[in-house]
Amino acid sequence: MQSDATLRQFVEITHLDVDQATQVLQSCNWDLETAVGLHLAGTEGDTDYGRGGRDTTTPSSGGGVGVSSPSGGAAGAGRPVPRAFGRGQEGGGGGGDDPEGDADGEGGDGQRRPLLRTDSVASTSSTSSLSRISSAVGLLGRAVLGVARTVAWVGSGILSFFSAVVLGPPGVPSESFDEFFEARYGRPRPDFFRGGLREALATARREEKVIFVYCHSDASAQTERFCRDVLKHDAVVALLNENFLVIGLDTSRLEGARTLSALRGRRCPFVALVMPPMGSSMEGSQTLHRLEGQIGVDQLVAVLTVAVGDMESLRHQVRVQSEETQRSRLLREEQDAEYLEALERDRQMQMARDNEEAERRAEEARKREAERERDRRRAEKEDKKRRLEESRAARSVEVRRILEEDDRRISSGESAAKILIRLPTGGRFERKFRADAPLSLLFDWIECRHLIEGGGGAWVAPGSFELKQTFPLRAFQKSESTLSELQLAPSSALLLHPLEAEDDAESEAAS
């Protein structure tokens, strides 16, 4: 039945229990749109639904405290009021249990009446006790009724969730709303977005468009006219398809009902222009315009035109912001590149300084090593010279003895050879040797001459040397050949050529 479908849709949208939903729909003659608007108005203002609504405690017309009846009147206007409401309160019967306090109390009709006194105190006490008991029972009943309504609301929510998730809600899903609209109303039509509202927000943000949200309800009497005369109008279709992202939502489905409630819509057809977050901003979307109920073509075209202008202004702001962001990014990149270049230059300079320092240290190390090598060679030379002097000193005694013996033999008439030695420094000295004396004696005499002949200024022979004859050109090394055999007798002039200096020069060149 149509009423069962309407009741099920109303329960899914409002989450009321079946009894409350039935009362509200009956009060609205089973008009779903009117019932939803009434429910939303009652939820926001916390007011009564009116006829057939929930019971609320309100002051009665007679001045007492009554409970509103289904017809809107006050039931029990003359009910005794508990003493907790205080003396002098307006109340039905006005009496109380104080025999002296309310002598001139007012009745339920507002007229002043004399206090009715009784002779029986027990009767007055019984009336007061019954009033207290009645009030307590009323409070307890209202508390139980509130708990029952809460349990019913939770149960209806669970039932609605189960039916929406497991069984699938009735109505047209947003993914196929374009097919539904074209099948029912034909073309031309807006190009409805195939997807949910969340996907539409993401797409609109990416394409920089305003979202045209249309909430559809077959229960509304205005829906047919709006779809055929307004949404299919050529001007409206051109504006929507060119400038907006259009999404259609059926309010009989959970997503449509929630969207209608979130956009504060009260009746269908309902239209809202929603601006998604733009640029780098992550703030929420913004609702620009809302239209509902009887919407005309001129009214909708005017709203859409204003929204297009707002969107162009927003796009300009977004482009300016994007350009500023791009400039800032490029500036940061340039600064970062300059910083990296400065770091690279500093690194290169530091490497150059490190290399120079390493070369300097290596050069100092080479110099120290060369100095140590020279010291070593100098020490070796000194040691060699010392050992040579010791050796010459030891030989000089024997050489002196041999030379003294040769002098005596030459004096006795043996043949002699007179040898002249020229020094590299230009000095000279000479001596007579026996003609049959070996050449080694001549070398020993030259080496030990400063020890044999003495004198602080005596010339000292180098460690190694050779003797050269200019004519004929010959060089002589230390040997046992006699002077006569070498044709140096009876006289010869020889040039002393040191060999130790050449050895030292070669060693220094090698180092």
Side-chain angles (χ1 to χ4, degrees), residues 11-183:
V11 168
E12 290 178 354
I13 294 173
T14 61
H15 301 292
L16 294 175
D17 57 59
V18 177
D19 293 336
Q20 288 179 327
T22 303
Q23 291 178 3
V24 175
L25 288 172
Q26 287 176 353
S27 66
C28 298
N29 198 20
W30 292 93
D31 188 345
L32 179 62
E33 177 186 1
T34 305
V36 171
L38 182 62
H39 169 72
L40 295 177
T43 303
E44 293 180 357
D46 195 18
T47 60
D48 192 7
Y49 287 122
R51 192 175 48 175
R54 62 176 182 271
D55 294 340
T56 55
T57 302
T58 58
S60 67
S61 62
V65 178
V67 179
S68 62
S69 66
S71 63
R79 181 181 298 170
V81 180
R83 187 169 182 80
F85 289 93
R87 292 176 55 185
Q89 294 260 358
E90 293 182 359
D97 58 353
D98 190 351
E100 298 177 358
D102 293 330
D104 295 330
E106 295 180 1
D109 55 359
Q111 301 295 327
R112 300 178 61 86
R113 298 176 182 177
L115 179 65
L116 299 176
R117 299 179 179 274
T118 62
D119 295 336
S120 176
V121 178
S123 176
T124 303
S125 300
S126 299
T127 302
S128 177
S129 299
L130 288 174
S131 299
R132 293 190 180 94
I133 293 172
S134 176
S135 299
V137 170
L139 293 175
L140 180 60
R142 284 193 292 273
V144 172
L145 181 59
V147 172
R149 287 175 177 171
T150 303
V151 173
W153 180 81
V154 173
S156 65
I158 295 175
L159 180 61
S160 175
F161 176 79
F162 175 79
S163 61
V165 175
V166 179
L167 301 179
V172 181
S174 59
E175 291 80 0
S176 57
F177 192 85
D178 56 344
E179 300 175 356
F180 157 77
F181 190 92
E182 183 173 351

Side-chain angles (χ1 to χ4, degrees), residues 362-428:
E363 183 64 23
E364 291 179 353
R366 287 193 295 269
K367 290 180 179 180
R368 288 193 297 269
E369 183 64 25
E371 186 66 24
R372 287 194 294 269
E373 183 65 19
R374 286 193 295 270
D375 293 342
R376 184 183 63 80
R377 291 181 177 276
R378 190 180 299 111
E380 290 180 355
K381 185 176 180 181
E382 293 294 332
D383 185 65
K384 182 179 179 181
K385 184 178 180 181
R386 180 183 57 79
R387 291 198 305 270
L388 181 60
E389 284 297 319
E390 292 177 354
S391 174
R392 287 177 177 179
R395 291 201 324 271
S396 63
V397 177
E398 180 64 22
V399 171
R400 178 182 291 124
R401 185 187 65 76
I402 294 174
L403 290 176
E404 291 177 352
E405 178 65 25
D406 287 351
D407 289 342
R408 285 194 297 269
R409 294 175 63 179
I410 292 172
S411 299
S412 61
E414 289 188 10
S415 59
K418 185 177 181 181
I419 304 299
L420 175 66
I421 302 298
R422 294 190 178 93
L423 302 178
T425 58
R428 61 177 62 188

Side-chain angles (χ1 to χ4, degrees), residues 155 230 267 379 402 466 470 479 492 509:
V230 179
R267 53 181 175 168
I402 294 174
E466 64 179 1
T470 56
S479 66
S492 293

Side-chain angles (χ1 to χ4, degrees), residues 487-503:
Q487 298 179 0
L488 296 178
S491 63
S492 293
L494 302 176
L495 177 63
L496 189 143
H497 179 72
L499 300 177
E500 188 176 30
E502 296 179 356
D503 296 339

